[in-house]
């Protein structure tokens, strides 16, 4: 069984479109994350949610809006896509204790290409 | 100074070689430390945590020097299957004085083990 799953795996779209990426974890973790890995392979946190509550919101354009309907799901909606949004987006989850994350489990990634 | 800085690499070594990766971090309040491994076009996976006293897991040895804010990973008797990007990861407060933490990833060092 897949621990952290993301859909779609690949997403090719044109500038200006709106798209969503979905993430689900079946590990029973209480914290979920979105990361962006750019063309230089630099992995950077975008958001984290703990029990459906937004905890971390890094300097990310407000075109990116995460939504957590329950603690097993964290979706990412992107409005008005730009060329610079092309990257691999990873979802991850972990079980936090006193605000400290332990091992993070990553999904397989969504490779977004904006043309 | 970058939050987490690693050897830029890439490293190309023959099978059986010993290879060492170095990493420095800028936030002296960082709480915990990890090495993750990322295979080509795959998600990052935890390789090992790094403890203050140093720790070993088979052919892998991790060291931490808090005074120098330095972390290392040593791989002995390298195998072809060790070829991957090794990511130095530091757990630090999401914001100054906050109780939530985030993982900050280094850019990674690419290792290729050749037959």
């Amino acid at each position: 069984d897949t621990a952290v799953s993301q859909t779609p795996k690949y997403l090719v779209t044109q500038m200006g479109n709106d798209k969503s990426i979905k993430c689900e974890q079946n590990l029973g973790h209480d914290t979920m994350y979105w990361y962006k890995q750019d063309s230089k392979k630099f992995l950077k946190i975008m958001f984290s949610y703990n029990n459906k509550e937004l905890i971390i919101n890094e300097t990310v354009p407000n075109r990116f809006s995460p939504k957590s309907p329950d603690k097993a799901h964290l979706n990412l909606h992107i409005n008005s896509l730009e060329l610079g949004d092309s990257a691999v987006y990873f979802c991850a989850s972990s079980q936090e204790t006193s605000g400290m994350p332990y091992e993070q489990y990553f999904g397989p990634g969504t490779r977004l290409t904006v043309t | 100074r970058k939050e987490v800085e690693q050897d830029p690499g890439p490293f190309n070594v023959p099978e059986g070689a010993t290879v060492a990766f170095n990493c420095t971090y800028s936030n002296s309040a960082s709480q915990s430390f990890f090495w993750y491994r990322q295979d080509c076009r795959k998600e990052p996976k935890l390789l090992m945590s790094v403890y203050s006293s140093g720790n070993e897991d088979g052919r892998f040895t991790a060291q931490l020097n808090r005074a120098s804010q330095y972390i290392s990973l040593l791989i002995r008797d390298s195998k072809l299957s060790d070829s991957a990007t090794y990511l130095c990861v530091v757990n630090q407060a999401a914001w100054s004085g906050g109780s939530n933490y985030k993982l900050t990833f280094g850019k990674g060092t690419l290792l290729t083990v050749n037959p």
Side-chain angles (χ1 to χ4, degrees), chain B residues 62-81:
Chain B
Q63 298 276 357
L64 168 65
N65 184 324
R66 282 189 185 268
S68 305
Q69 295 176 208
Y70 168 85
I71 307 160
S72 66
L73 176 68
L74 185 76
I75 305 176
R76 290 183 300 279
D77 187 24
S78 51
K79 313 287 185 196
L80 296 177
S81 57

Side-chain angles (χ1 to χ4, degrees), chain A residues 77-89:
Chain A
H77 187 76
I78 315 171
N79 288 326
S80 304
L81 279 154
E82 299 178 357
L83 293 176
D85 297 332
S86 296
V88 181
Y89 291 84

Side-chain angles (χ1 to χ4, degrees), chain A residues 10 35 37 40-45 55-56 58 90 96 98-104 106-108 111, chain B residues 3 31-32 34 36 38 41-46 87 91 94-95 99-103 105-107:
Chain A
Y10 299 95
Y35 288 86
Q37 189 168 43
K40 294 182 180 174
K41 309 298 183 190
F42 192 37
L43 190 65
K44 192 164 169 55
I45 190 168
I55 299 298
I56 293 173
E58 292 288 278
F90 287 103
E96 291 204 356
S98 302
M100 296 272 270
Y102 286 83
E103 177 179 359
Q104 289 193 9
F106 284 78
R111 190 168 296 271
Chain B
E3 290 182 286
Q31 296 285 327
S32 48
F34 310 91
Y36 274 68
Q38 186 172 22
R41 300 180 77 86
K42 297 284 189 181
E43 70 273 21
K45 291 184 180 176
L46 179 67
L87 301 163
N91 185 16
W95 53 86
S99 59
N100 293 103
Y101 290 79
K102 65 176 183 180
L103 294 187
F105 286 75
K107 283 183 109 171

Side-chain angles (χ1 to χ4, degrees), chain B residues 23 25 31-36 46-56 61-66 70-73 87-90:
Chain B
C23 172
Y25 59 95
Q31 296 285 327
S32 48
F33 311 90
F34 310 91
W35 284 100
Y36 274 68
L46 179 67
L47 177 67
M48 58 196 300
S49 301
V50 187
Y51 302 119
S52 297
S53 53
N55 48 299
E56 192 173 302
T61 300
Q63 298 276 357
L64 168 65
N65 184 324
R66 282 189 185 268
Y70 168 85
I71 307 160
S72 66
L73 176 68
L87 301 163
C88 176
V89 184
V90 172

